[in-house]
Amino acid sequence: MTFEQLVFYFLASVAVIAAGLVITVRNPVRAALFLILTFFTVAVIWLLLEAEFLAIVLVLVYVGAVMVLFLFVVMMLDIDTDQLREGFAEYLPIGATVAVIILLQLVIVFSFGPFDLEQMPAPAAAAVDYSNTHQLGLLLYTYYVYPFELAAVLLLLAMVAAIALSLRGRLSAKRQRPDAQVRVRKEDRLRIVKMNAEKQD
Amino acid sequence: MSNIFADIQLATPEIFVFSMACVILLLDKVTHERMPKASFLLTQLTLLVGLYLVTITVPEGGSIKAFNDMFVLDGMAVLSKQVILFLTFVVLIYSYSYITERKMYRGEYFVLILNAVLGMMVMTSASHFLTIYIGLELLSLSLYTLVAMNRDSDLATEAAMKYFVLGALASGLLLYGMSMIYGATGSLDIETIRSAIQGMESDDTMLILGLVFIIVGIGFKLGVVPFHMWIPDIYQGAPTSVVLFLGTAPKVAAFAFIMRLLVDGFQGLAENWSDMLTIIAVLSMATGNILAIIQTNLKRMLAYSTISHMGYFLLGILSANPNGYSASLFYVIVYSFTSLAAFGLIIMMSRAGFEAEEISDYKGLNKRHPWFAFLVALVMFSMAGIPPTVGFFAKLSVIQALIDVEMYWLAVVAILFAVIGAYYYLRIIKTVYFDKPERNEPITARFGMQFVLSANVFALVLIMPWIGVIMDAVSNAISAMG
């Protein structure tokens, strides 16, 4: 086993274990942190594949921006984990059955060997002056320009959708609403409590 | 590297629709107080000009590819885009008063509709897994948001949530299937995939598993049994104007989507997907038609009817020959216009605070408004497929396609379920004509909308003499595919 393989197997097992922990730990902040660990290890695996640019972007964008926002949201929302787990035991049998069946099917298909090492030979190492970033930019802005532009449209649409759904005037502004004030009844505001007089000691 | 300007010229309609969506998004900030109608009118203008642009960019014979084979313009793409743009135009005429009365009239509503249209146009002329997928996501994302637009309604929020979660699951399955196909063939380009498959054994497990995932993804998006659970809830919960949109134009886009993926890409696996679609089609016709009988909510009943109609629509595709494909395209176009009229009628009957979605709301409609009662009857006849309406010819053509490939048992099953389906369509007509009215408010609808709706309904019958012209257009569109 070469050193490279050793590194790969180490990173791959860390990535798989961390990904598993993301969905099993109880604490949402820890889950987010494990997700960061997963991203990091995957980024290093990409480095092994000589995809430096993608590895750096994964760390910068996902770990640096997306996950930080994610952590903010997780900390700001008061997530009740018990409530989230409600019905877990109830749905576990059917969920587990489906998962096991799908897993078995995948194992059967993949054991026929479409992904054997002979089928997927390792790519030759790139030349010393080969620039992964340059190639990526070239492909993205020339060959894949149409899907690239469409992906940009998709991002714009996501922004419009998010704003359209969350912005609904300034509800936080404190304004008097005379119509609501007039309609208020005594029962809504006033509660009369009847109790016996107590002795002061 | 092909000439980028020639490529851009072919994609003018898409570029125009998107640019106008951006213009409306910005302009609405200025006009929404002084000229609230501007966004609506501009959107309608966009759709009409888009329709014109699509019509003048018809490729001369066969198909043209652009953007490094990621974009294809052929007869089917042109026809589907024309139908999609026109359907959306009529949808917006019907929904105008509905959305203004319910305070859903906002610039974003139109921006989302235009982006959904863009997504459908991208899907119909995609020849690469990437563009197909991005087009699909453009459409889905707009639809999720439109369903959730009415935020004060619990039902709508629930529907949007279900739609979003199941839609994301379906996209995931579709992507998983695509990645397996990529693993097996080494390409995302549909034409390369087709030739790669021809060189492989047709029982390659990898290919078949990828195909299964893709079919499941398509099944979810199309809403066919056993992937139909979301349809009734969304049809019932979403605002009627949104259901009107998502029940019409996207069905035509779904046809193009299936043609690109299954027929273009997996030609070599036709035997396999034809069998899978047979099971789905039979289950859809059975479940849709039988469960529709027990519904008391008209929108929910129409949702089950959609499921069964999608089953019939698959009959043409699963016969796996050009005649079958054109029968399916014809079916889906006819279905779109019929359901356009059906939901248009629900909108017409409703007003702010009253949705007119229970079947009992239509009791004795004949005594209140004979003209609308007559329209309802015509639409239901067309849905059930009773001559002389065009719905009959749609059913006839898909069943004809089955008989051509000697799938007699399937044709018999289809007809049996059509007879069961006739029961609940005719029950509506009975409710309208023979029950005692429970309400007696006048029906108020704008004259313009009444006129367009009447024209729409009558087109379902009066188109008959020209049915051959449409059939020819449809089969030309299919034969002009790459």
Side-chain angles (χ1 to χ4, degrees):
Chain A
M1 194 183 273
T2 61
F3 175 68
E4 211 179 313
Q5 276 175 326
L6 207 67
V7 174
F8 170 77
Y9 281 117
F10 172 69
L11 290 171
S13 43
V14 171
V16 170
I17 293 169
L21 284 172
V22 173
I23 52 170
T24 47
V25 290
R26 292 191 88 94
N27 186 331
V29 177
R30 278 197 197 151
L33 289 174
F34 275 118
L35 194 55
I36 293 179
L37 180 62
T38 317
F39 283 141
F40 256 112
T41 40
V42 172
V44 184
I45 291 178
W46 283 2
L47 270 184
L48 284 180
L49 284 170
E50 302 181 18
E52 313 86 17
F53 180 74
L54 288 180
I56 294 171
V57 166
L58 184 69
V59 172
L60 281 184
V61 175
Y62 272 87
V63 179
V66 176
M67 285 316 293
V68 171
L69 271 179
F70 218 87
L71 271 177
F72 265 130
V73 174
V74 167
M75 288 179 187
M76 285 212 287
L77 294 177
D78 184 22
I79 298 172
D80 185 0
T81 41
D82 287 335
Q83 207 183 352
L84 283 181
R85 272 157 207 278
E86 211 174 293
F88 181 75
E90 191 184 331
Y91 298 119
L92 185 66
I94 189 155
T97 319
V98 172
V100 167
I101 290 175
I102 292 183
L103 193 70
L104 274 180
Q105 287 175 332
L106 292 182
V107 168
I108 291 170
V109 169
F110 290 138
S111 63
F112 272 97
F115 283 140
D116 278 358
L117 282 180
E118 301 94 66
Q119 301 267 357
M120 304 274 164
V128 179
D129 58 347
Y130 177 82
S131 167
N132 182 266
T133 318
H134 180 80
Q135 292 299 324
L136 207 64
L138 214 58
L139 267 184
L140 210 54
Y141 292 106
T142 57
Y143 192 81
Y144 288 103
V145 64
Y146 180 61
F148 181 75
E149 295 293 336
L150 284 174
V153 175
L154 193 58
L155 287 180
L156 174 74
L157 175 64
M159 203 161 78
V160 172
I163 294 176
L165 285 186
S166 53
L167 185 78
R168 27 181 7 197
R170 301 183 57 188
L171 279 186
S172 57
K174 291 199 165 60
R175 221 182 285 136
Q176 280 198 336
R177 288 173 54 200
D179 57 328
Q181 286 175 330
V182 170
R183 265 186 273 127
V184 155
R185 290 171 308 156
K186 189 175 77 180
E187 297 84 72
D188 298 341
R189 299 284 168 89
L190 187 69
R191 189 163 62 100
I192 297 176
V193 184
K194 285 223 167 91
M195 59 186 289
N196 298 327
E198 282 180 25
K199 242 185 230 166
Q200 203 172 17
D201 43 25
Chain B
M1 188 66 208
S2 57
N3 182 0
I4 189 84
F5 293 108
D7 290 356
I8 287 178
Q9 216 165 19
L10 288 177
T12 335
E14 279 87 350
I15 296 173
F16 175 75
V17 168
F18 175 63
S19 317
M20 287 306 284
C22 292
V23 169
I24 292 168
L25 183 63
L26 292 176
L27 208 64
D28 184 67
K29 280 287 134 248
V30 187
T31 56
H32 78 284
E33 275 179 356
R34 269 168 291 169
M35 292 187 293
K37 239 184 156 178
S39 305
F40 170 72
L41 292 177
L42 215 53
T43 309
Q44 294 295 58
L45 184 74
T46 308
L47 292 169
L48 284 184
V49 176
L51 189 60
Y52 170 73
L53 288 174
V54 169
T55 315
I56 58 166
T57 45
V58 179
E60 284 168 23
S63 63
I64 311 181
K65 293 204 165 184
F67 296 110
N68 303 301
D69 294 349
M70 285 182 205
F71 177 94
V72 61
L73 198 63
D74 55 17
M76 189 197 71
V78 171
L79 183 67
S80 311
K81 283 182 201 173
Q82 285 169 332
V83 175
I84 288 167
L85 286 164
F86 184 69
L87 278 170
T88 314
F89 177 75
V90 184
V91 161
L92 284 181
I93 295 181
Y94 290 173
S95 26
Y96 179 74
S97 58
Y98 185 91
I99 57 176
T100 39
E101 279 165 15
R102 283 162 190 76
K103 304 203 167 52
M104 284 167 64
Y105 185 96
R106 292 154 70 186
E108 289 89 4
Y109 190 91
F110 300 105
V111 174
L112 289 169
I113 294 257
L114 282 182
N115 269 310
V117 170
L118 173 71
M120 288 187 269
M121 292 168 82
V122 169
M123 264 160 74
T124 51
S125 53
S127 59
H128 196 273
F129 276 178
L130 265 181
T131 37
I132 284 198
Y133 178 69
I134 296 181
L136 181 66
E137 283 306 291
L138 270 174
L139 169 66
S140 312
L141 198 58
S142 315
L143 289 181
Y144 304 148
T145 321
L146 284 169
V147 171
M149 207 72 167
N150 187 3
R151 287 202 26 192
D152 297 324
S153 151
D154 286 344
L155 266 182
T157 314
E158 187 196 332
M161 208 54 215
K162 279 184 183 157
Y163 193 20
F164 177 67
V165 171
L166 282 176
L169 180 71
S171 299
L173 290 172
L174 193 69
L175 277 184
Y176 201 45
M178 285 179 175
S179 74
M180 278 186 206
I181 300 297
Y182 179 67
T185 61
S187 175
L188 288 175
D189 179 58
I190 286 176
E191 207 173 308
T192 321
I193 290 172
R194 177 169 53 188
S195 41
I197 288 176
Q198 271 159 3
M200 297 166 83
E201 284 169 44
S202 68
D203 58 345
D204 187 298
T205 41
M206 188 76 182
L207 274 183
I208 303 290
L209 193 70
L211 179 67
V212 168
F213 273 98
I214 287 184
I215 296 249
V216 172
I218 291 176
F220 262 114
K221 294 288 178 194
L222 204 59
V224 283
V225 183
F227 316 108
H228 65 290
M229 293 76 94
W230 57 275
I231 291 252
D233 290 330
I234 276 104
Y235 272 52
Q236 190 183 359
T240 312
S241 65
V242 176
V243 179
L244 175 70
F245 180 59
L246 79 83
T248 50
K251 304 289 179 203
V252 181
F255 170 79
F257 178 70
I258 294 176
M259 287 302 282
R260 297 286 179 217
L261 272 178
L262 294 187
V263 177
D264 266 9
F266 298 111
Q267 188 82 74
L269 297 175
E271 246 172 72
N272 293 304
W273 55 251
S274 173
D275 287 349
M276 297 181 206
L277 291 184
T278 310
I279 300 172
I280 292 179
V282 171
L283 284 177
S284 301
M285 290 187 293
T287 315
N289 278 327
I290 291 171
L291 289 185
I293 294 175
I294 52 172
Q295 304 305 322
T296 54
N297 182 300
L298 184 58
K299 273 161 85 182
R300 215 173 165 81
M301 190 207 93
L302 286 174
Y304 281 105
S305 124
T306 302
I307 296 172
S308 72
H309 278 289
M310 287 302 111
Y312 285 100
F313 150 73
L314 286 179
L315 293 180
I317 291 181
L318 65 84
S319 63
N321 65 53
N323 277 340
Y325 306 145
S326 44
S328 270
L329 179 54
F330 181 66
Y331 193 91
V332 83
I333 292 175
V334 167
Y335 170 72
S336 298
F337 279 97
T338 315
S339 91
L340 186 69
F343 284 104
L345 278 165
I346 297 183
I347 286 191
M348 178 103 89
M349 293 281 299
S350 70
R351 68 194 118 66
F354 171 63
E355 291 295 335
E357 53 176 50
E358 296 298 325
I359 293 179
S360 59
D361 292 339
Y362 292 80
K363 277 187 181 168
L365 183 64
N366 187 35
K367 299 219 172 57
R368 293 164 58 199
H369 204 305
W371 180 245
F372 285 174
F374 182 57
L375 295 183
V376 170
L378 278 184
V379 170
M380 290 301 148
F381 275 134
S382 183
M383 281 261 180
I386 294 169
T389 55
V390 70
F392 167 73
F393 273 86
K395 281 216 169 60
L396 183 70
S397 63
V398 286
I399 289 169
Q400 183 93 52
L402 285 180
I403 290 172
D404 285 347
V405 291
E406 294 179 350
M407 292 173 118
Y408 299 120
W409 69 274
L410 197 52
V412 172
V413 170
I415 293 171
L416 276 180
F417 283 118
V419 173
I420 296 177
Y423 167 73
Y424 59 88
Y425 295 121
L426 294 181
R427 195 185 53 176
I428 304 279
I429 299 177
K430 176 223 156 214
T431 312
V432 165
Y433 276 97
F434 301 110
D435 283 1
K436 284 211 168 63
E438 286 180 352
R439 322 180 136 264
N440 48 13
E441 311 95 328
I443 297 161
T444 52
R446 284 157 196 268
F447 175 75
M449 181 185 164
Q450 284 192 30
F451 180 76
V452 177
L453 188 61
S454 308
N456 181 348
V457 175
F458 272 90
L460 299 177
V461 180
L462 296 181
I463 201 76
M464 274 307 154
W466 294 277
I467 205 87
V469 181
I470 300 178
M471 292 263 200
D472 284 347
V474 165
S475 57
N476 283 341
I478 296 296
S479 61
M481 271 182 74

